Amino acid sequence: VLPDGRIWDGLSALRKDNTGYDLKQLFLGAEGTLGVITAAVCKLFPAPITRETALCAVTELAAACRLLGMVRRSLGDCVVSFEFLARPALELVLANISDTRDPFVAAHPAYVLLELTGGHAARGLREELMAVYADAEAQGLVGDALIAESESQRSAWWRLREQIPAAERAAGGSIKHDVSVALADLPTLAQRAGAAVVSRHPGVRVSMYGHVGDGNLHFNVLAPVGADPETFRAAHAASVSDLVHRTAVELGGSFSAEHGVGQLKRDLLRVTESPIALDLMREIKAAVDPKDLMNPGKVL
Ligand code: LAC
Ligand code: ZN
């Protein structure tokens, strides 16, 4: 629904359609500032015949990235999830969320929760995955690993990953970041942002997790143990976020990989986006919504 009340029907289900500008993408990325989306077309895929879920202990983020490369090389599009959890993020969940337990006997620096789906292959997903694991183990990238043997085990592992935001809230809240860079730069991003934040704000705790398969990290920062979280955030959130966002942008990355700009990151968009891109965005906004009716004050 456009600001002037007209309704544009963009419900095309075509896979290929190169007629004119890609208006649908424009509205999808506009956070409601160009119009209101009231309907969507869903594409259905056949349910996968086979699925494997594995939890791998890894030595560090760089090892997780190399493991991703190896899994993709062997299993290609069968890789549907590749989620990274650093130990401190898992510990927040174990300490703050009921009915959770560490799947491994020993503590490991970090973990990858990965999921594969496929059809009938000559060699099964599990065999292929075990071959990759053996390679990764020989290279010293992975430690213990588990393959889910039941749906309840699988959902318990997913819960460990998905409850991280709730665990951070229960621990007093965090300064959240949603950064992305090219996969090859992801370990550098984590290392540089971590060093910058810790040297400027000694004692802070970093809860790092995210969608490594997409080059997207949630690099969240919690107050030092013993400090009041709210007071800490009020005093230092701007400085912490500046360090993290600056590191991502210096590496050619994004300060908003999946959660948008809203009003919190508006100023950041102004200083990091190129003048040409900002001009184009403002001109599009002015053309579609000249009276600034749609979600005013957001994004631009
Ligand atoms: C997540 C949300 C914060 O990945 O994007 O859990
Ligand atoms: Zn996320």
Side-chain angles (χ1 to χ4, degrees), residues 30-60:
E31 301 180 37
T33 59
L34 298 180
V36 179
I37 296 171
T38 57
V41 181
C42 292
K43 177 166 171 54
L44 301 181
F45 293 87
I49 297 166
T50 48
R51 173 161 62 192
E52 296 291 353
T53 305
L55 188 64
C56 289
V58 290
T59 50
E60 53 175 346

Side-chain angles (χ1 to χ4, degrees), residues 131-198:
V132 174
Y133 175 79
D135 266 0
E137 194 182 29
Q139 294 181 34
L141 302 176
V142 294
D144 294 344
L146 298 163
I147 294 186
E149 297 295 349
S150 66
E151 182 54 34
S152 67
Q153 198 175 23
R154 171 178 176 262
S155 59
W157 295 350
W158 270 109
R159 196 160 166 264
L160 295 175
R161 160 62 192 86
E162 288 175 340
Q163 289 295 311
I164 297 172
E168 289 177 2
R169 273 195 299 281
S174 62
I175 307 166
K176 291 167 177 286
H177 305 98
D178 170 32
V179 287
S180 67
V181 290
L183 196 59
D185 292 325
L186 208 56
T188 309
L189 170 66
Q191 189 271 325
R192 279 193 203 163
V197 167
V198 168

Side-chain angles (χ1 to χ4, degrees), residues 83 161-162 165 176 209-211 218 258-259:
E83 294 284 317
R161 160 62 192 86
E162 288 175 340
K176 291 167 177 286
Y209 64 96
H211 322 288
H218 295 301
E258 58 179 359
H259 289 278

Side-chain angles (χ1 to χ4, degrees), residues 83-119:
E83 294 284 317
F84 176 81
L85 303 78
R87 177 76 193 174
L90 176 65
E91 277 177 2
L92 283 170
V93 173
L94 299 176
N96 293 287
I97 305 291
S98 60
D99 299 324
T100 53
R101 60 174 206 89
D102 191 333
F104 296 104
V105 178
H108 296 278
Y111 307 87
V112 167
L113 176 57
L114 77 99
E115 203 151 273
L116 309 166
T117 62

